[in-house]
Amino acid sequence: MTESKEQDQLLKRINELAHKNKKEGLTEAETRERTRLRREYLKNFREAMRSNIEMMRIFDNQGNEVTPEKVRKIQRKKGLRDD
């Protein structure tokens, strides 16, 4: 899965704070920023993963669709399926 520029920037800043924390420690404001950035990064990651899964169709070796019914229902609700 490719990451967006926003995710790349979040990860870069999270890593900067992690390195600073190892070297010299973080201020209270930096600790709050790190926590906020981690939450935002994970939220974005989960949304992207959920979207990818909801768009996916799974087929067996014989070419029969075996997408789980739970995913099919979500796809129907979003108008991604005709059946």
Side-chain angles (χ1 to χ4, degrees), residues 16-26 34:
E16 287 172 359
L17 291 170
H19 292 299
K20 182 177 181 197
N21 188 42
K22 285 183 180 180
K23 287 183 181 177
E24 57 194 76
L26 298 175
R34 180 182 65 179

Side-chain angles (χ1 to χ4, degrees), residues 43-78:
K43 177 182 160 272
N44 293 343
F45 178 84
R46 288 179 182 127
E47 287 174 0
M49 181 62 74
R50 178 173 284 120
S51 177
N52 285 339
I53 290 171
E54 290 173 354
M55 299 289 289
M56 194 177 298
R57 293 179 113 179
I58 303 167
F59 295 88
D60 64 13
N61 291 338
Q62 289 75 38
N64 302 314
E65 185 176 7
V66 293
T67 305
E69 187 57 34
K70 183 177 179 179
V71 176
R72 289 182 190 203
K73 285 180 183 179
I74 293 168
Q75 291 170 343
R76 286 183 195 110
K77 186 176 179 181
K78 292 187 174 193

